[in-house]
Every structure is written in structure tokens, then in C-alpha cells.
């Protein structure tokens, strides 16, 4: 697997993530509308994506790419920022899961308040993860392409397959 292939796998996951963020934003905006039940289903779909594909993607980065880059450039700087952002995102996802569950069981009088809270968290995640993806695409991935040798990238590719054999 070449440098381009490793980055392509990670970039494809970013593209899928951006599509889900679009769905998340639409769902958040429709929570109080007549489309509310469909919006709730879309929130659940996005949460399932987060717990599945996004979790695997983060593991690819945290267990393979980031350590390889860390050996070359150190942990401080972009790698630490990305790791901190991953943790921050998971905290927000936990809140979104909680709010989605509350929304599902909400009484008519509480639904509007919970929908508003859910919308705030969903919009925060959409904005935050979109910004995170942009930083990785424009800073981290080009840095990896420049800094890592073909041998280091081959090792990253092997490790990615160990994390998730589909990679």
C-alpha cells in the first residue's frame, strides 16, 4: 500500500463523515417540525455511524498514523491537538446519545426543550467535526505524506488492517 493509498483510506472515511454530518445537521434542524420522527431516526443513524465507522477511523489514526508521525515529529503540536479533539468529540457524542434517548421518550411538554438541547449538541458536533476533518485533510495528511517513508507507510497500512481488516 502506497502513501497515497493510506491517505486515501483515511480521506474516504472523512468524506463519509462529512455526508453523515450533513444528515446530522438536517436532522437537528427538523427536530421540532413535522419531520420530527424521521429526524430522530436520522440522529440514530448518525450515532450508529459514530459508534461504528467513526470509531474505527479514529482507531486507525490513533493506533497507526499518529504513532508513526509521533516518531518523526514528536507528540506535541498537531498530533496532540487531534488526540484532544477526538476526546472532546466523544464527550459530545455521549451527550448527543443521552439527548437522543431523552427525546425519544419525551412527553409533549418536554419535547421542545429537549429538541432545542439536542439541536445545540448536534450542531456543535457537526461544526466541530467538520473543522477537525479540515485540519486533518489540510495539515496532518500532507504532513504524513511528506514526513513518513514508504516503509513507515507500509507499516501503517499493516497496522490499519490489524485494527480493521476491511482497510
Amino acid at each position: 500500500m502506497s502513501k497515497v493509498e493510506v491517505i486515501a483510506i483515511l480521506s474516504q472515511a472523512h468524506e463519509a463523515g462529512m455526508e453523515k454530518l450533513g444528515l446530522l445537521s438536517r436532522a437537528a434542524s427538523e427536530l421540532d417540525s413535522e419531520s420530527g420522527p424521521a429526524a430522530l431516526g436520522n440522529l440514530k443513524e448518525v450515532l450508529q455511524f459514530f459508534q461504528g465507522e467513526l470509531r474505527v477511523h479514529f482507531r486507525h489514526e490513533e493506533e497507526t498514523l499518529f504513532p508513526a508521525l509521533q516518531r518523526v515529529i514528536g507528540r506535541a503540536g498537531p498530533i496532540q491537538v487531534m488526540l484532544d479533539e477526538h476526546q472532546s468529540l466523544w464527550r459530545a457524542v455521549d451527550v448527543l446519545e443521552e439527548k437522543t434517548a431523552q427525546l425519544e421518550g419525551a412527553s409533549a411538554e418536554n419535547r421542545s426543550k429537549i429538541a432545542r438541547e439536542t439541536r445545540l449538541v448536534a450542531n456543535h458536533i457537526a461544526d466541530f467535526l467538520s473543522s477537525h476533518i479540515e485540519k486533518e485533510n489540510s495539515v496532518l495528511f500532507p504532513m504524513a505524506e511528506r514526513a513518513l517513508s514508504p516503509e513507515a507507510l507500509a507499516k501503517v497500512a499493516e497496522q490499519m488492517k490489524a485494527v480493521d481488516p476491511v482497510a
Side-chain angles (χ1 to χ4, degrees), residues 13-22 24-25 46 49-51 53-55 57-58 61 82 85-90 92-93 96 121-137:
H14 283 178
E15 290 173 21
M18 292 301 288
E19 286 179 25
K20 291 299 180 184
L21 292 178
L24 178 62
S25 294
V46 172
F49 171 82
F50 287 164
Q51 294 302 344
E53 293 176 52
L54 183 63
R55 194 165 293 279
H57 174 76
F58 278 14
E61 292 176 343
M82 296 300 106
E85 288 185 3
H86 285 185
Q87 291 304 309
S88 182
L89 178 69
W90 288 125
V93 167
L96 183 61
V121 174
N123 288 334
H124 165 72
I125 289 171
D127 292 344
F128 185 82
L129 188 51
S130 178
S131 172
H132 177 82
I133 288 170
E134 177 56 32
K135 282 185 249 181
E136 287 186 347
N137 287 346

Side-chain angles (χ1 to χ4, degrees), residues 83-101:
L83 289 168
D84 291 346
E85 288 185 3
H86 285 185
Q87 291 304 309
S88 182
L89 178 69
W90 288 125
R91 288 189 296 272
V93 167
D94 288 344
V95 173
L96 183 61
E97 286 177 334
E98 179 184 314
K99 293 297 175 189
T100 301

Side-chain angles (χ1 to χ4, degrees), residues 136-152:
E136 287 186 347
N137 287 346
S138 65
V139 176
L140 198 70
F141 292 170
M143 182 183 298
E145 289 178 316
R146 288 188 310 271
L148 297 176
S149 68
E151 296 79 18

Side-chain angles (χ1 to χ4, degrees), residues 1-2 5 22 32 49 59-60 66-67 72 75-77 83 101 104 110 113 120-121 136 143 167:
M1 187 176 295
S2 71
E5 290 170 309
D32 278 336
F49 171 82
R59 286 187 62 210
H60 281 160
F66 293 177
V72 176
R75 185 177 175 111
L83 289 168
E104 192 169 31
N110 289 335
K113 176 183 181 277
L120 288 172
V121 174
E136 287 186 347
M143 182 183 298

